[in-house]
Amino acid sequence: MIKLLSHLSFVAITTPDVEASVDFYVNQVGLTEVAREDDRVYLRCWGDYYAYSVIVVKGDEPGMETMAWRTSSAEALEEAAKRVQAAGIEGEWFEGRGIGRAFRFTGPQGHNMTLHWDVERHRAEPHTASIFPDRPEKRSSVAGAPRQLDHVTVATKDVDSFVQWYVDTLGFRFMARTVLDEAPISVFSVLTTNEKSHDLGVVLDGSSRAGRINHYAFWVDTREELLIAADTLMENGVPIEYGPNIHGIGEQTFLYYREPSTLRIELNTGGYRNYVPDWEANTWKPSLGSNNMYRNGAMPMSMTESFPPADGPSATEEGVPDEIKDALLNPYAVQGRG
């Protein structure tokens, strides 16, 4: 298979209060508003090379409208669309703002995805232009502001089948997975389109609602910047949901918090790069520190919430054995072993 996708280019997220979310992204996170169009506001990080990386869209609930991926070439875009359609999924071609001719579709477990090759590159105004030629803009003056968009993690009822479809159809590399200590149930997996440990994550969803998102993430250059971001957010009344800490899978330092709609945001830094073309994914267990490398604390239960809110019975109410109910509710949790 030729390399089809290059990286995550933007996410479009929904919120009941666009102005509250935009104000938060600009003044607390450190993004810049670049355009408005009807009920859509376009934002970018200071280090994003393209015109935007986050679209805030008016919606009844917090959630994800689409996740967008730039292909590796114009030819790869055509090939990717053909492979999606050959897999039995009908998509549609459209003209997108700053991305030209693009293809969007809904994956087999309900997640909307946009593929494109053309991009509008960011051109800084003289007063925001960096003195460093490779930087698209000056560094943000907001403490701990992210350099760029990093990854998205979605929620699905069948982690393994989700992974297989995206590997077979779009050429994602399967990098690692977490299986419960108590039973052979996959609760988390990571995939990538490049050398990062992941730019797409998938977590087990016990609800009956398809197409949900667990979080999306930004990247900061250093661990110190991430700690400063945590400090600044707390000083400004924004609670930290989880972290700072280090994931075992990927080895990134992480921090989770919420925007006003309640949608979860992650900050990442550090970690490793993997260039092995025939990498074989390892299987982790929570007791090995898949989420908390130091195995010294459990993830809060709130982290199992995905968006939009669930509308059906959870997996723990559908015949899952009692001995693994707690683990399913908290699939990343450290179990106190190892």
Side-chain angles (χ1 to χ4, degrees), residues 309-327:
D311 61 356
S314 71
T316 58
E317 297 170 341
E318 296 177 345
V320 176
D322 290 341
E323 63 269 22
I324 66 170
K325 284 184 178 180
D326 288 342

Side-chain angles (χ1 to χ4, degrees), residues 76-94:
L77 173 60
E78 301 295 329
E79 179 65 20
K82 288 179 183 177
R83 294 187 183 193
V84 169
Q85 292 169 329
I89 292 179
E90 289 299 322
E92 63 172 343
W93 292 97
F94 71 103

Side-chain angles (χ1 to χ4, degrees), residues 225-238 240 244 255:
E225 286 180 89
L226 185 143
L227 297 178
I228 289 171
D231 191 319
T232 304
L233 288 165
M234 290 190 68
E235 291 272 27
N236 290 330
V238 180
I240 302 304
L255 170 74

Side-chain angles (χ1 to χ4, degrees), residues 241-256:
E241 186 175 18
Y242 186 32
N245 211 313
I246 299 178
H247 292 311
I249 292 179
E251 298 185 22
Q252 297 95 343
T253 300
F254 66 85
L255 170 74
Y256 294 94

Side-chain angles (χ1 to χ4, degrees), residues 12-18 21 25 56-65 209-216 258-265 305-310:
I13 57 100
T14 59
T15 174
D17 190 337
V18 170
S21 291
Y25 284 116
V56 181
V57 183
K58 177 70 174 178
D60 294 334
E61 302 171 291
M64 180 180 71
E65 182 186 69
R209 189 164 191 176
R212 300 206 296 162
I213 179 176
N214 183 269
H215 67 270
Y216 76 99
R258 305 285 190 104
E259 65 120 285
S261 75
T262 72
L263 186 67
R264 182 178 299 105
I265 299 169
E305 297 170 8
S306 293
F307 311 91

Side-chain angles (χ1 to χ4, degrees), residues 45-226:
C45 305
W46 65 268
D48 284 323
Y49 295 104
Y50 306 150
Y52 59 87
S53 57
V54 176
I55 310 174
V56 181
V57 183
K58 177 70 174 178
D60 294 334
E61 302 171 291
M64 180 180 71
E65 182 186 69
T66 195
M67 51 181 173
W69 305 77
R70 192 177 184 204
T71 60
S72 61
S73 65
E75 294 76 18
L77 173 60
E78 301 295 329
E79 179 65 20
K82 288 179 183 177
R83 294 187 183 193
V84 169
Q85 292 169 329
I89 292 179
E90 289 299 322
E92 63 172 343
W93 292 97
F94 71 103
E95 290 291 321
R97 182 187 180 98
I99 61 171
R101 182 172 179 264
F103 182 75
R104 62 186 167 205
F105 64 93
T106 299
Q109 298 199 39
H111 302 91
N112 189 276
M113 194 170 191
T114 298
L115 307 178
H116 65 98
W117 164 245
D118 291 332
V119 290
E120 177 187 345
R121 287 175 167 79
H122 177 67
R123 303 295 182 215
E125 297 294 331
H127 70 284
T128 62
S130 174
I131 63 172
F132 305 111
D134 288 341
R135 284 189 183 175
E137 193 168 284
K138 290 178 182 176
R139 185 179 290 271
S140 171
S141 59
V142 175
R147 187 183 191 107
Q148 56 200 147
L149 183 66
D150 188 68
H151 70 264
V152 61
T153 293
V154 299
T156 178
K157 65 182 180 180
D158 188 332
V159 172
D160 291 339
S161 67
F162 180 99
V163 168
Q164 197 63 53
W165 192 90
Y166 282 83
V167 168
D168 292 345
T169 307
L170 292 173
F172 277 86
R173 286 202 297 155
F174 176 29
M175 304 303 290
R177 68 170 181 161
T178 300
V179 172
L180 292 178
D181 287 272
E182 295 82 355
I185 298 175
S186 296
V187 293
F188 180 62
S189 286
V190 288
L191 305 98
T192 190
T193 57
N194 48 59
E195 79 280 1
K196 295 194 301 185
S197 68
H198 71 291
D199 48 16
L200 177 60
V202 53
V203 61
L204 181 66
D205 189 354
S207 81
S208 60
R209 189 164 191 176
R212 300 206 296 162
I213 179 176
N214 183 269
H215 67 270
Y216 76 99
F218 295 111
W219 178 265
V220 294
D221 286 346
T222 66
R223 177 177 179 272
E224 288 70 27
E225 286 180 89
L226 185 143

Side-chain angles (χ1 to χ4, degrees), residues 259-278:
E259 65 120 285
S261 75
T262 72
L263 186 67
R264 182 178 299 105
I265 299 169
E266 181 184 8
L267 287 186
N268 263 189
T269 192
Y272 56 78
R273 295 293 183 261
N274 183 317
Y275 301 90
V276 180
D278 55 351

